[in-house]
Amino acid sequence: MGFVSAEEQQASAQAPLYDGPYLFEQTKTQQSQQAYWICASKLQATPVINNELKRPNGCGKLPEPKLNPKAKEVAANTFTDVSKIVALSDVHGQYDVLITLLKNHKIIDEHNNWAYGSGHMVMTGDMFDRGHQVNEVLWFMYKLDKQASDAGGKLHLLMGNHEQMVMRGDLRYVNERYQTAARLLQRSYDELYDSSSEIGQWLRSKHTIVKVNDTLFLHGGISGEWVDRELTLDKANQIYRANIDKSKPELKRDELLNFLFLGKGPTWFRGYFEDDYQESEIDRVLAYFDVKHIVVGHTSQTRVLGLFNNKVLAVDSSIKNGQSGELLLITPNEGQDTLIRGLYDGSRVTL
């Protein structure tokens, strides 16, 4: 990243800011549910009519989502007989890179709508923090969630460590532009996505780990400690959802919560990328879950990478830098998965 002068920083700070929408449960004093928008750095509100959010006039190109009554339903965490899968990770608010990558691989069409049919798309966490288009990413994924299901496919939106950090009020990595929304809405940034918000309720229904065909998907990785504890996907995902809003001190006081949310838990573990990690350990994890591959994000690479003979597939391709990115395409083929790197320009290379 190049040097930014004081003059440039000041000009950026003074530029009109457009952000939103933010949507919360209707209060008793409101005649209708209101959507909130930051238009040219000023707060505006519009009523929600027929489950549709319409931005105010002159408020840029902010998302105008249609609400999904089924958004908060908890889905299954294990799926079989899925014909095609695409996975990516760690978008960190880089909406433009995300859209370009998905369009180039025809996961979405020219209007940013689902085009992957009955396929499953897995986002292995970390939409929040760092970047400047977090809200755009979230509302896009919210829309895609419904469109995928309507087409007979599925979007698996998994919780990463940065989703968990924001939920418990750890705001160290939030892009400074979101200070404006927090100030105008008189809520801290984490409260913009709390359990009273539409996006917050939607996110709180999501899993942290899913199994699709013979592949396990999650943010960081599964350590041997998981196997020793004999944890199941059902139990872990339920615990994550039930405790997502607890503070770090509260989590640390409980041995199991401390493991799951912190330290070497599934959203933080980086062991696969350490020089002394043994392949026998990954074999133990694969056998425990009865899978052939584990797909993870969290640890940044320059490309989609296969480790230990493709037993571990790393999909954090540094989208967070805002320059480019890759995705992983998995196609079952007579018991042997075809694994493909989807490059930023739409070309594909066998892994």
Side-chain angles (χ1 to χ4, degrees), residues 222-225 227-228 269 272 277-286:
I222 296 288
S223 66
E225 186 175 347
V227 180
D228 296 336
F269 182 65
Y272 306 148
Y277 188 82
Q278 299 295 314
E279 189 168 356
S280 58
E281 270 293 279
I282 195 66
D283 288 338
R284 190 162 77 104
V285 173
L286 293 172

Side-chain angles (χ1 to χ4, degrees), residues 207-262:
H207 296 307
T208 302
I209 311 171
V210 296
K211 179 181 175 181
V212 184
N213 294 345
D214 57 7
T215 302
L216 194 71
F217 296 86
L218 68 155
H219 185 63
I222 296 288
S223 66
E225 186 175 347
W226 173 292
V227 180
D228 296 336
R229 288 176 177 270
E230 299 182 347
L231 287 164
T232 65
L233 293 189
D234 283 337
K235 181 178 180 180
N237 281 322
Q238 288 172 12
I239 291 172
Y240 276 121
R241 280 193 295 275
N243 295 279
I244 189 71
D245 291 302
K246 286 189 175 175
S247 67
K248 193 170 184 177
E250 287 178 302
L251 296 172
K252 283 188 148 186
R253 283 197 291 269
D254 183 284
E255 183 193 16
L256 180 57
L257 295 182
N258 185 60
F259 166 68
L260 285 174
F261 281 90
L262 307 166

Side-chain angles (χ1 to χ4, degrees), residues 141-318:
M141 289 294 175
Y142 179 96
K143 176 187 76 170
L144 221 58
D145 193 4
K146 182 178 187 301
Q147 289 182 340
S149 294
D150 289 347
K154 190 71 181 172
L155 171 65
H156 303 281
L157 195 68
L158 306 183
M159 297 294 95
N161 62 304
H162 281 268
E163 278 74 34
Q164 293 172 352
M165 289 166 70
V166 168
M167 299 290 183
R168 64 173 177 260
D170 184 342
L171 309 181
R172 287 174 291 165
Y173 298 97
V174 176
N175 191 290
E176 63 180 13
R177 78 187 298 269
Y178 293 108
Q179 294 175 5
T180 300
R183 175 174 55 82
L184 292 175
L185 284 163
Q186 298 182 335
R187 289 172 171 243
S188 62
Y189 182 77
D190 55 302
E191 290 174 334
L192 299 178
Y193 301 102
D194 66 13
S195 57
S196 73
S197 72
E198 180 71 17
I199 290 292
Q201 291 173 2
W202 170 65
L203 290 174
R204 283 166 175 79
S205 74
K206 299 307 179 186
H207 296 307
T208 302
I209 311 171
V210 296
K211 179 181 175 181
V212 184
N213 294 345
D214 57 7
T215 302
L216 194 71
F217 296 86
L218 68 155
H219 185 63
I222 296 288
S223 66
E225 186 175 347
W226 173 292
V227 180
D228 296 336
R229 288 176 177 270
E230 299 182 347
L231 287 164
T232 65
L233 293 189
D234 283 337
K235 181 178 180 180
N237 281 322
Q238 288 172 12
I239 291 172
Y240 276 121
R241 280 193 295 275
N243 295 279
I244 189 71
D245 291 302
K246 286 189 175 175
S247 67
K248 193 170 184 177
E250 287 178 302
L251 296 172
K252 283 188 148 186
R253 283 197 291 269
D254 183 284
E255 183 193 16
L256 180 57
L257 295 182
N258 185 60
F259 166 68
L260 285 174
F261 281 90
L262 307 166
K264 292 189 176 181
T267 55
W268 285 96
F269 182 65
R270 299 186 194 269
Y272 306 148
F273 305 92
E274 295 173 358
D275 292 338
D276 59 352
Y277 188 82
Q278 299 295 314
E279 189 168 356
S280 58
E281 270 293 279
I282 195 66
D283 288 338
R284 190 162 77 104
V285 173
L286 293 172
Y288 182 82
F289 287 100
D290 190 23
V291 294
K292 294 178 181 176
H293 315 285
I294 296 180
V295 174
V296 299
H298 188 49
T299 303
S300 298
Q301 315 295 323
T302 58
R303 46 160 285 192
V304 168
L305 189 67
L307 303 171
F308 306 107
N309 297 307
N310 290 339
K311 293 173 184 176
V312 172
L313 302 166
V315 295
D316 179 355
S317 58
S318 298

Side-chain angles (χ1 to χ4, degrees), residues 9-22 36-44 55-63 131-136 174-185 189 192-193:
Q9 290 181 21
Q10 186 176 12
S12 176
Q14 293 174 346
L17 188 141
Y18 298 84
D19 185 23
Y22 294 97
Y36 296 96
W37 316 75
I38 313 302
C39 305
S41 303
K42 294 182 180 179
L43 182 65
Q44 294 196 40
R55 61 179 177 258
N57 292 331
C59 200
K61 297 181 179 180
L62 294 174
H132 66 293
Q133 292 175 297
V134 171
N135 223 24
E136 287 87 341
V174 176
N175 191 290
E176 63 180 13
R177 78 187 298 269
Y178 293 108
Q179 294 175 5
T180 300
R183 175 174 55 82
L184 292 175
L185 284 163
Y189 182 77
L192 299 178
Y193 301 102

Side-chain angles (χ1 to χ4, degrees), residues 74-91:
V74 177
N77 56 36
T78 301
F79 293 81
T80 58
D81 301 318
V82 176
S83 61
K84 56 184 178 179
I85 305 167
V86 60
L88 66 163
S89 187
D90 292 75
V91 170

Side-chain angles (χ1 to χ4, degrees), residues 94-112:
Q94 296 294 347
Y95 174 77
D96 294 334
V97 173
L98 171 66
I99 293 298
T100 298
L101 180 60
L102 294 178
K103 275 185 179 176
N104 285 346
H105 286 279
K106 297 181 171 52
I107 310 301
I108 59 174
D109 64 20
E110 66 272 22
H111 302 296
N112 299 349

